[in-house]
Each structure stands twice: as C-alpha cells, then as structure tokens.
Amino acid sequence: MWYIVKTDFYKEQGAIDDLLRLDGIGEIYFPVVRQELKEIGMEDSKPIRFRPAINGILFVYACDRNKLKAHLTTRGYFLKPDETDRTIAGRHRQVYGNAHLFTYSTEPQSLDSILEKSSIPDEDIYRYKVCIEQRAANVEDVRIVGESYNHLVSENDTVMIVDGPFAGFTGVIRQLKSHGVKDRHLFFRLGNMCVSLSGIRRFSYIVVRESGKGKKAQIPNTWRYIDFLTGRLQAAGFVDTAPAVLRNILYHYNKVSSIDECQTLLLQVAKARKSVSVKPNEHSGTCIKSAMAGKRVMESDEADSMEIARQAVYIEQMSDAERGALESLKRFFNSADNSVARALEDLVPDMPLRPFLTPTSGVHVPEGGNFVLLQHSDFTELILRVNLKHVFVKPNGHGETCLNSAMTGKRGMKSKTGRPESSDRNCVYYAHISLKPDTDGSGIEAMVNWGGFIHRYVGLTEEERAGFLEDLADKGYNETVRLLTHGNITHISPCLCGFATAVHGFTLDDVVARYDKLPASGYRLPVSLLRSLYPVCRLVRDCIPAAIELWQRQRFLEWRHLVQRFVFLHNVEGGR
C-alpha cells in the first residue's frame, strides 16, 4: 500500500535517505518536473532546472502495515531506527525534515485513522504518475487538495476524459481560478484526498454518472421520482391515469404535513364526492331530462369517489421507496398557495407512454426474465430490460452488443479496455415500447417515446433543423445525426412523439397469445418471438447510442436537459 508523506520544504532528499533505512519501506516516489528558467523570468548559463512536482510531498510504499506502524509516533511522525539515533532521554529521533503521514486533517485522530486516511490504492498512484509525466506538455498546474473526493462526487457529475494523455481518467470537473484566470480543473481521487489538474478544457470528456445530491441534481431527481411513481401507479392499476393520479395525490399532500394525513384527506374527499346527489325537479317540464342528467352526474361522482378512494388505498400500501420518492416530491412542490397546481401540470404531464429508457420498470419484471407486457386502453406497452454496460464503457460504441446481452441474459461481462468497471446493477435500464395494430390489422406499429425532445425538434424550421444537424455533426454527435436523419420520426402529441417502426406479417394478438402461454416467472423473449419482433429490437438498438451520446456530452445543454427529462433518466441508485 502507498502512503502520502509530508516533509518540510527543501528537505525532501534527506527525508528520503532516512525513510529508505526503515524496515518495511520498499519504494519512495518523489516526482520532479523539468523547468526552463526563462519561463519564470530568470537567465542562467544552465537554463534547465528540475524541481519537485509538489514541494514537501513524497509517496512511500510500505510492504507491511504493522512494520510501518513500528516506525511511527502516535501522531504519524516517522522515527529513525538506529540506537545511535536516540536522544539523550533515550527516545528515537524523528526522521529528517519532520516527515509524517499526511491527511490534511487538523483534528486529533488515532494512528490507525491516520494510516487509513493517508493510504493510496495502486490505481490512484498510477493515475497520479501519468498526470505528473504528462504535466510539462499538457497542463499548467497539479495540486493535491484536502477536499474529500467522495463529497465532490456526491454533488457533481462524474466525467471521463476520452482523448489525449489522460484518456480514461474519471473525476469531477469544476471551474476555479488558476493564476488569476478562470479555468476548468479535473479533480480525481488520490486515496482520501484529490488531485486538481488544470488546463483540462483542451480535452474532450463525457458524463459517466449523474450526481444524486446537491442543487444541480434537484430537477433531474424530481423527474426520476415522478417517473418512478408513475410506473408504480401503473402497476397498481392506474394504467392510463397515473400522471393525473400523481398530480392529485401531490396536490392534496401539499395541504397537509404527512403522508398519513394525505391518505385521510383523500378518504374525506372520496366520502364527500359519494354523498353528492342531484334530485330532479318534479315541477319542471323537463323533469325527465333533468333526471337523466342528474343520474349521469351521480354516476360520475360515484366513479370519482371510487377513484380517489383507490388512491388512498395505494398510499396505504406504498413501499418505503415509494414513500421516500413521494416525500421528496412533497418538499419540491411545497407551496403556500394554489400555484402548486400549475407547477404540477407542467412537471407531471399526461404522458401515455413513459420515457424511452428509465431506471425502473414500474410493473414488476421477474428477476429471471427480461420483459413484461402492460395493457393500456390504446396500445400494449412492452417493457424490456436492457443492460447498457458496454455503451457506457465504450462511449463511441454501438448499442447492439448490450441489447443482445440483455435479451439473452448474459450479464457481468468484463471490460477489456482496462477502464474502471461499472456494476451491472447501475447499468440495467428498462426500454418502454408502444405496440398497437397497424391500420389494416395485419401488422404492428411500434414506437419509443422521446417526448419533449422530438416535439422541440419538429418545431424547428427547415433552416434551423439543418443548422442544428450541422452543429451536431461538427461536434461529433454521429449517432444522434444518424438517428435524426434516418429514423422514422412520429409526432402524435407533444408528450407522445419519438421514433417508430413497422412489423409486417405478425399481429399484436400473436404477441399477446404467446405472452399468455409463458410461465408466470423467469420468462424471456423466445427466439421465435425475437425474430418476429426484429424491427422492434432494431428500433431500440438504434435509439440507445443516440440517447446515451446526448446524455454523456454537454455541448448542447438545452437538448441534453430534454433528454434527461423525456428520453433517458439516469440510474443514480442502481434502480429501486
């Protein structure tokens, strides 16, 4: 294990000599960088100097932690081993330069805590060595900072550098002042601390993970919670009314302080609706018409009462995850007046079909299976589990491999790129596909919903659209350009628009019949059904790379926000 060691300035070499005499220390890494004196305004007959990359910082490799502890004080300072190096009082002298384990902490801590906080994994020290080796030619400044990397990652998106000498590095990008000028810095992990690398603007990077905390994550989290609860409401029987039901629940929840009080309020509203009645006017000449109208109103009130009562029952049966999502939405929509109703209409629109890729299925997909059908009033929804691991690991790759792996059940395939592996759980998503009979009933019309993204795109003029596609191509959005130029765009409504395909010679009744014959659990799409639905599989496979490309890159922020809301809801917690 490597450990970071701090010494007094300009005493590093003496400390290295002493440290190498200690039993258990196998190697010391003390990087130096080449510097031309004219760069700092100095003239000399020997214009080249080598100076420490960071003054007073060493990296020590200890073969045995227990042996290392034997050479440390309780505060983490190194002691000389020889009897001749004792003080008059008989104590060991400290290593030259006050060498000690470095944690950036000023709080009192135990030796075990110091060892833990100053330790650095081999992978982190390797990245740091690459950074130092490339420093002179590629970056202006390298610093070790005491900020916790885990804290940075929790409140900022994690990115990956995709070109240049730092390709494959993952970390957090923040804008800071460097030499009086604002510059983007990459922060990557170095044990429990961070390395700050400036001049990173010249390299391309992609997002590999969205933050789930902090102000930046508030809106994307809200979209995720809305979609999650929409899916759970559909599973509870509110298949075509889930968005309206969620709006109603949140509207009433805004009036009370707890979920239990919201349930009570809904039951009261249901009871009040049920007690409403309309009596016909017996003295009117339109008595019969009034009676018929009154009957219809009573039936409507009865249906509304039953619907609201069902909402109260759903609240009673919610899981902990559903309660947590509802409480989060309550905090977001909490309003002192009726303006919440307008906000709910905007953020919880009536989307007949959920976004293309979501981290949750809504309707339960058996652990051993990979799809389920959900019957809507106007169409049948195919919810298909897909593993996007290879799309994330190979950002420029095509989605065919990941979709085939998901359908055949191959999981846990290791990357050969040498880059950090993402867990399978974080890469599992659910594709939502609408299936409905075509006009003559002999085939199937299938579509995936890109909602506001496609609605915005089709609203552009021909000139604006051509300019947008040109900008996409110039900035390397090849998959997106391919999909927008060759995909079959369909626009039914602002909340139901995307890409469509046709299946010929195979009807929706055939799909449902085969589905009904499958076992209740552990089922997968049979090979014969896969072949029949090949155009649907091809549609999903073609849309995945474009969706991920738009999400991973941050050149077109307006369009990326539309993708985050209507196309690809990123999995920040490994699903629910």
Side-chain angles (χ1 to χ4, degrees):
M1 178 69 76
W2 288 90
Y3 294 88
I4 186 169
V5 174
K6 182 78 170 67
T7 74
D8 294 340
F9 284 5
Y10 312 116
K11 296 183 179 181
E12 298 92 350
Q13 191 58 54
I16 291 172
D17 294 339
D18 281 352
L19 289 170
L20 286 175
R21 295 168 56 198
L22 301 181
D23 185 27
I25 291 182
E27 182 182 351
I28 293 180
Y29 175 56
F30 177 52
V32 295
V33 293
R34 181 178 183 274
Q35 187 176 53
E36 295 187 17
L37 296 185
K38 64 181 181 181
E39 293 178 358
I40 55 176
M42 295 179 62
E43 297 292 339
D44 196 282
S45 58
K46 296 180 180 179
I48 302 299
R49 296 281 176 88
F50 289 88
R51 65 175 184 81
I54 301 178
N55 287 319
I57 294 294
L58 314 173
F59 298 91
V60 172
Y61 184 80
C63 307
D64 188 307
R65 176 168 171 161
N66 290 327
K67 289 183 179 180
L68 181 66
K69 287 180 69 173
H71 301 300
L72 294 168
T73 69
T74 56
R75 292 168 47 192
Y77 282 77
F78 285 90
L79 297 173
K80 294 183 178 180
D82 298 340
E83 292 295 325
T84 57
D85 286 326
R86 291 177 179 268
T87 63
I88 296 176
R91 298 175 183 172
H92 286 290
R93 296 180 185 273
Q94 288 187 6
V95 163
Y96 183 76
N98 288 318
H100 60 279
L101 296 178
F102 187 50
T103 65
Y104 252 111
S105 175
T106 57
E107 298 295 326
Q109 50 192 326
S110 66
L111 180 56
D112 286 334
S113 175
I114 293 172
L115 283 163
E116 179 64 29
K117 291 180 179 179
S118 62
S119 62
I120 302 172
D122 291 348
E123 184 181 348
D124 291 1
I125 202 71
Y126 169 75
R127 281 198 297 266
Y128 182 71
K129 287 181 177 180
V130 172
C131 173
I132 294 300
E133 289 169 2
Q134 298 293 335
R135 178 184 184 279
N138 295 286
V139 297
E140 298 176 358
D141 193 21
V142 178
R143 290 183 296 166
I144 295 176
V145 296
E147 193 164 1
S148 166
Y149 181 76
N150 291 335
H151 175 72
L152 279 176
V153 168
S154 69
E155 296 195 353
N156 295 274
D157 293 347
T158 304
V159 303
M160 177 189 288
I161 307 299
V162 295
D163 61 7
F166 307 110
F169 276 41
T170 57
V172 169
I173 288 183
R174 298 174 66 186
Q175 185 163 281
L176 302 174
K177 273 194 174 182
S178 179
H179 305 295
V181 180
K182 285 188 176 181
D183 188 18
R184 288 183 182 175
H185 290 238
L186 174 70
F187 291 79
F188 64 86
R189 186 192 299 275
L190 185 66
N192 290 285
M193 291 173 279
C194 298
V195 173
S196 168
L197 192 64
S198 70
I200 211 68
R201 188 184 296 270
R202 72 189 71 181
F203 307 116
S204 300
Y205 60 88
I206 58 174
V207 177
V208 294
R209 181 186 176 277
E210 275 185 24
S211 167
K213 298 179 180 178
K215 292 183 178 180
K216 293 181 181 178
Q218 186 180 50
I219 294 297
N221 279 342
T222 299
W223 295 333
R224 276 188 283 268
Y225 293 141
I226 289 171
D227 174 75
F228 169 62
L229 289 174
T230 298
R232 296 308 302 152
L233 283 165
Q234 289 179 343
F238 303 96
V239 177
D240 295 305
T241 59
V245 169
L246 181 57
R247 288 197 301 269
N248 188 59
I249 290 174
L250 287 169
Y251 179 76
H252 287 87
Y253 192 5
N254 187 60
K255 298 180 178 180
V256 294
S257 57
S258 71
I259 291 179
D260 292 338
E261 290 176 355
C262 177
Q263 180 189 3
T264 302
L265 179 59
L266 286 172
L267 289 172
Q268 292 172 352
V269 172
K271 185 176 180 180
R273 290 284 181 90
K274 189 175 182 180
S275 64
V276 173
S277 62
V278 178
K279 296 183 180 181
N281 185 355
E282 297 179 356
H283 301 287
S284 171
T286 59
C287 178
I288 296 178
K289 291 183 179 180
S290 298
M292 293 176 63
K295 183 178 180 181
R296 286 194 296 270
V297 171
M298 292 176 65
E299 289 175 349
S300 175
D301 288 337
E302 182 73 19
D304 289 345
S305 174
M306 291 293 295
E307 181 79 358
I308 296 172
R310 286 178 61 213
Q311 296 173 21
V313 172
Y314 166 75
I315 289 177
E316 183 179 14
Q317 298 174 347
M318 283 193 306
S319 65
D320 290 341
E322 291 167 86
R323 281 179 169 266
L326 190 61
E327 288 169 353
S328 297
L329 290 178
K330 153 75 170 179
R331 289 192 292 271
F332 181 83
F333 286 107
N334 193 21
S335 173
D337 55 26
N338 288 330
S339 62
V340 67
R342 294 191 295 272
L344 288 170
E345 288 289 343
D346 178 56
L347 285 171
V348 192
D350 289 314
M351 292 183 65
L353 181 64
R354 289 170 65 192
F356 172 42
L357 292 170
T358 66
T360 56
S361 60
V363 178
H364 177 63
V365 177
E367 186 63 30
N370 66 353
F371 83 107
V372 69
L373 293 182
L374 177 63
Q375 186 62 53
H376 292 252
S377 59
D378 298 328
F379 62 91
T380 298
E381 181 180 352
L382 169 62
I383 303 174
L384 179 65
R385 179 187 282 134
V386 294
N387 193 324
L388 305 186
K389 183 175 184 177
H390 297 284
V391 180
F392 290 128
V393 172
K394 299 177 181 178
N396 296 323
H398 198 271
E400 182 175 357
T401 301
C402 72
L403 186 60
N404 288 342
S405 298
M407 290 183 170
T408 56
K410 296 178 182 178
R411 298 186 182 182
M413 298 177 67
K414 294 183 179 180
S415 167
K416 297 180 181 179
T417 63
R419 291 174 180 167
E421 289 285 332
S422 298
S423 67
D424 277 359
R425 184 185 179 195
N426 291 336
C427 295
V428 170
Y429 288 82
Y430 297 88
H432 301 266
I433 307 111
S434 163
L435 304 176
K436 61 191 304 184
D438 60 14
T439 53
D440 60 7
S442 62
I444 299 173
E445 293 178 356
M447 75 165 289
V448 294
N449 193 13
W450 282 48
F453 182 93
I454 291 298
H455 180 65
R456 173 83 173 86
Y457 179 73
V458 300
L460 298 175
T461 64
E462 289 294 331
E463 183 179 354
E464 290 172 335
R465 198 175 303 172
F468 176 53
L469 291 173
E470 184 178 352
D471 287 344
L472 286 171
D474 289 343
K475 292 178 173 60
Y477 285 70
N478 300 324
E479 295 292 348
T480 306
V481 172
R482 177 189 56 78
L483 183 64
L484 291 175
T485 53
H486 299 293
N488 180 21
I489 296 177
T490 181
H491 188 283
I492 300 172
S493 69
C495 291
L496 185 61
C497 48
F499 298 93
T501 190
V503 179
H504 301 292
F506 195 71
T507 67
L508 185 56
D509 290 339
D510 295 332
V511 175
V512 174
R514 293 195 188 186
Y515 176 77
D516 290 339
K517 291 179 181 179
L518 294 172
S521 64
Y523 46 81
R524 296 186 174 278
L525 283 172
V527 175
S528 58
L529 187 55
L530 269 174
R531 290 172 179 167
S532 301
L533 292 177
Y534 175 75
V536 177
C537 300
R538 181 62 183 269
L539 172 66
V540 175
R541 191 173 61 216
D542 288 347
C543 288
I544 285 175
I548 302 304
E549 181 178 70
L550 285 160
W551 173 78
Q552 286 190 316
R553 303 190 178 193
Q554 296 184 316
R555 294 296 185 92
F556 299 90
L557 291 181
E558 176 194 355
W559 295 94
R560 184 175 184 266
H561 290 162
L562 292 173
V563 168
Q564 286 179 290
R565 180 178 181 184
F566 296 105
V567 183
F568 176 72
L569 305 182
H570 182 56
N571 186 353
V572 296
E573 299 178 2
R576 291 179 181 270

